[in-house]
């Protein structure tokens, strides 16, 4: 059957359409949001799985799924059949056990992005590979003082990461704040992008798109196309925004509302900061406080300049970048009705640690580069000069090689340089980074992130405290096509 248009839906009368469209086998309304009053598409929150008595036990299956995206039925890949997968809510000190099953046709694994947990054995181990049809039992033990915040999970099997995330495999992890900011409600907003072909299947990705870093045609919030949310004036909401796009940067604005940044990636800021715009590289998260004012507002993503391959591809067409030049409306916020009472002040959070006050045991420079490769990575492209190489310190990823060795209990300073014409968002597993020099100048207040953008031909300096865990893990570009093409290194900390 052909998808109903919005006009047809309205003509049918929104309520009861589920029954009228029974031919869709009930699939019609199971994902991507139900019908709310007025026939709009209400923002749906992913299912929540919360820990109890210090434990969260769950099963996750990565498998093909049929979901509804906008006006179409789509064949995607999802955790437990929904896109995004369930939201996991845990606390410092918790043990999280995930029985992960691979129902895909390609190998996969699971990564808990941003969590400060052991990378060894069946912890957050990026070297695990789960073959199709196989399962693996992960166990993550969060330290008692784990920073609160919004984190996420996604597959991390080298060579398949971008494809699997672009297909729909991601979900949110919330580490509860022991002293939460009082809000009328919280919303998880997982922003992702996807490209479907005419029959609703995942579109092919060209080698060129992989080199640039694919950007999906349709940008989703919680798997929905431009959903709508309601609030009363004078309410305070907490928005947990995850950039789950494989390559797309998001510059977010919300016109007509008072917006404050409460957290970026890790922990929370001592005081929320007034913002009008906030930029997320792939993998970044922000927590935003929205103090609502009457009216209709749009959460909008404005394109971000992240460089191009112009200067590298001989005879390349001008404008050889991602080519996203239109702002995208992500979400409509409708604020109406009786005003709520005053939300009250936001209690101050704990002061942030500042590694600039601590001795530095080692300094390293790590260079991200693109070169002209011979081009047969992943068997997709052959012939000299067609496929570029994506390297860190001149080398492509090799899981067997250890690129950096550090010592537990030390602080290091890393100068991250980029000798290529495209930005690379650098991500380190397990240990968060404090950005100390950015754009050539000192960062005044402590700024903690787990994905740090290194601008084209630029550099950024971070400090890292290697503590609590030892083990071997990875750092990489979070433009996941670049990671799959080789822009990843290994680090062993003992
Ligand atoms: Cu979000 Cu190593 O990844
Ligand atoms: Cu990660
Ligand atoms: Cu990159």
């Amino acid at each position: 059957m052909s998808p109903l248009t919005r006009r047809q839906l309205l003509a049918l009368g929104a309520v009861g359409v589920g029954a009228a469209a029974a031919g869709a086998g009930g699939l019609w309304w199971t994902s991507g949001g139900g019908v709310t009053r007025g026939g709009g598409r209400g923002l749906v929150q992913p299912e929540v799985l919360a820990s109890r008595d210090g434990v969260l036990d769950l099963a996750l299956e990565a498998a093909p799924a049929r979901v509804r995206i906008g006006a179409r039925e789509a064949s995607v890949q999802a955790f437990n059949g929904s896109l995004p997968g369930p939201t996991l809510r845990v606390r410092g000190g918790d043990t999280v056990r995930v029985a992960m099953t691979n129902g895909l046709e390609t190998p996969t694994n699971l990564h808990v992005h941003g969590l400060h947990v052991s990378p060894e054995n069946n912890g957050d181990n990026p070297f695990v590979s789960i073959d199709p049809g196989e399962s693996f039992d992960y166990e993550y033990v969060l330290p008692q003082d784990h920073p609160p915040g919004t984190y996420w999970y996604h597959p991390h099997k080298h060579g398949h990461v971008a494809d699997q995330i672009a297909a729909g495999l991601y979900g949110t992890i919330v580490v509860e704040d022991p002293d939460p900011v009082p809000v009328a409600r919280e919303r998880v907003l997982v922003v992702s992008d996807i490209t479907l072909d005419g029959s609703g299947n995942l579109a092919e990705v060209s080698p060129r798109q992989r080199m640039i870093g694919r950007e999906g045609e349709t940008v989703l919030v919680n798997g929905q196309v431009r959903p709508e949310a309601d609030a009363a004036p004078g309410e305070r909401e907490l928005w947990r925004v995850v950039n789950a796009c494989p390559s797309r940067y998001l510059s977010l604005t919300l016109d007509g509302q008072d917006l404050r940044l409460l957290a970026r990636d890790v922990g929370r800021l001592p005081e929320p900061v007034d913002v009008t715009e906030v930029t997320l590289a792939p993998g970044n998260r922000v927590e935003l406080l929205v103090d609502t004012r009457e009216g209709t507002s749009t959460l909008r993503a404005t394109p971000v300049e992240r460089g191009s391959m112009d200067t590298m591809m001989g005879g390349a067409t001008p404008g050889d970048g991602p080519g996203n030049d239109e702002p995208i409306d992500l979400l409509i916020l409708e604020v109406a009705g009786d005003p709520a009472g005053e939300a009250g002040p936001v209690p101050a959070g704990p002061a942030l640690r500042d590694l600039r006050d601590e001795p530095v045991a080692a300094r390293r420079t790590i260079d991200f580069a693109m070169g002209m490769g011979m081009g047969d990575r992943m068997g997709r492209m052959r012939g000299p000069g067609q496929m570029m190489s994506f390297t860190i310190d001149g080398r492509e990823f090799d899981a067997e090689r250890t690129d950096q060795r550090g010592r537990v209990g030390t602080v290091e300073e890393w100068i991250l340089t980029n000798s290529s014409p495209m930005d690379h968002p650098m991500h380190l597993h397990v240990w968060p980074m404090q950005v100390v020099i950015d754009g050539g100048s000192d960062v005044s207040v402590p700024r903690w992130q787990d994905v740090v953008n290194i601008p084209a031909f630029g550099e950024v300096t971070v400090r890292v405290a290697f503590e609590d865990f030892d083990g071997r893990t990875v750092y990489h570009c979070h433009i996941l096509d670049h990671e799959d093409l080789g822009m990843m290194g290994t680090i062993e900390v003992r």
Side-chain angles (χ1 to χ4, degrees), residues 111-114 124 126 152-156 161 165 243 282-285 427-429 450-451 473-478 480 483 488:
H111 168 50
V112 284
H113 179 129
D124 188 24
W152 63 302
Y153 59 89
H154 61 76
H156 212 291
V161 183
I165 293 185
N243 184 359
N284 279 140
R285 290 86 58 213
H427 173 50
L428 170 65
H429 287 207
D450 56 45
V451 178
T473 190
V474 293
Y475 52 95
H476 57 90
C477 177
H478 218 287
L480 295 167
E483 181 270 300
M488 177 153 72

Side-chain angles (χ1 to χ4, degrees), residues 77-99:
Q77 296 172 355
F79 283 113
N80 296 0
S82 75
L83 180 166
T87 298
L88 315 185
R89 297 196 71 117
V90 299
R91 301 175 176 278
D94 280 356
T95 298
V96 183
R97 296 193 196 97
V98 182

Side-chain angles (χ1 to χ4, degrees), residues 37-337:
R37 65 190 151 75
R41 298 184 62 81
L43 173 71
V44 169
Q45 290 293 290
E47 177 197 9
V48 174
L49 301 175
S51 65
R52 286 185 56 182
D53 303 324
V55 178
L56 177 60
D57 255 309
L58 70 142
L60 276 185
E61 187 188 19
R66 296 278 284 170
V67 298
R68 207 158 160 78
I69 291 180
R72 343 169 37 186
E73 215 175 296
S75 298
V76 301
Q77 296 172 355
F79 283 113
N80 296 0
S82 75
L83 180 166
T87 298
L88 315 185
R89 297 196 71 117
V90 299
R91 301 175 176 278
D94 280 356
T95 298
V96 183
R97 296 193 196 97
V98 182
M100 163 95 171
T101 302
N102 182 2
L104 307 170
E105 279 165 10
T106 48
T108 192
N109 64 15
L110 188 68
H111 168 50
V112 284
H113 179 129
L115 287 195
H116 182 54
V117 292
S118 169
E120 296 278 277
N121 305 315
N122 65 339
D124 188 24
N125 184 343
F127 304 106
V128 165
S129 184
I130 310 172
D131 282 336
E134 301 292 311
S135 298
F136 188 84
D137 293 328
Y138 288 95
E139 182 176 286
Y140 313 104
V141 182
L142 278 67
Q144 204 66 47
D145 61 351
H146 191 289
T150 304
Y151 304 90
W152 63 302
Y153 59 89
H154 61 76
H156 212 291
K157 174 64 189 170
H158 179 65
H160 301 278
V161 183
D163 283 345
Q164 292 180 359
I165 293 185
L169 291 162
Y170 35 77
T172 306
I173 302 171
V174 172
V175 178
E176 307 285 357
D177 191 337
D179 189 15
V181 174
V183 293
R185 72 189 62 82
E186 283 191 27
R187 301 183 196 272
V188 164
L189 305 176
V190 181
V191 182
S192 63
D193 59 9
I194 195 165
T195 305
L196 299 167
D197 66 17
S199 19
N201 295 313
L202 296 161
E204 287 289 320
V205 184
S206 70
R208 205 188 107 81
Q209 287 171 314
R210 290 180 195 273
M211 290 188 281
I212 293 168
R214 74 186 74 183
E215 297 197 6
E217 275 171 14
T218 308
V219 184
L220 306 172
V221 176
N222 296 350
Q224 297 173 273
V225 178
R226 197 163 12 105
E228 299 172 7
D230 299 311
E235 289 189 308
R236 178 176 299 145
E237 299 200 348
L238 171 59
W239 290 10
R240 301 177 180 272
V241 186
V242 179
N243 184 359
C245 301
S247 312
R248 182 187 294 272
Y249 287 54
L250 302 167
S251 166
L252 302 178
T253 55
L254 181 66
D255 58 301
Q257 301 295 333
D258 294 322
L259 215 53
R260 284 181 291 172
L261 181 68
L262 181 68
R264 189 189 283 283
D265 287 357
V266 190
R268 66 161 280 199
L269 306 178
E271 307 275 355
V273 177
D274 290 334
V275 289
T276 51
E277 179 274 331
V278 61
T279 299
L280 289 84
N284 279 140
R285 290 86 58 213
V286 289
E287 293 178 8
L288 298 169
L289 292 174
V290 184
D291 287 287
T292 55
R293 289 203 268 161
E294 184 148 10
T296 301
S297 300
T298 305
L299 180 68
R300 188 166 284 144
T302 307
V304 175
E305 175 54 51
R306 63 177 175 94
S308 78
M309 300 196 300
D310 280 7
T311 53
M312 303 201 65
M313 301 294 276
T317 45
D320 210 354
N324 58 326
D325 42 22
E326 292 287 315
I328 297 164
D329 294 353
L330 298 180
L331 169 85
I332 310 297
L333 176 67
E334 199 73 62
V335 182

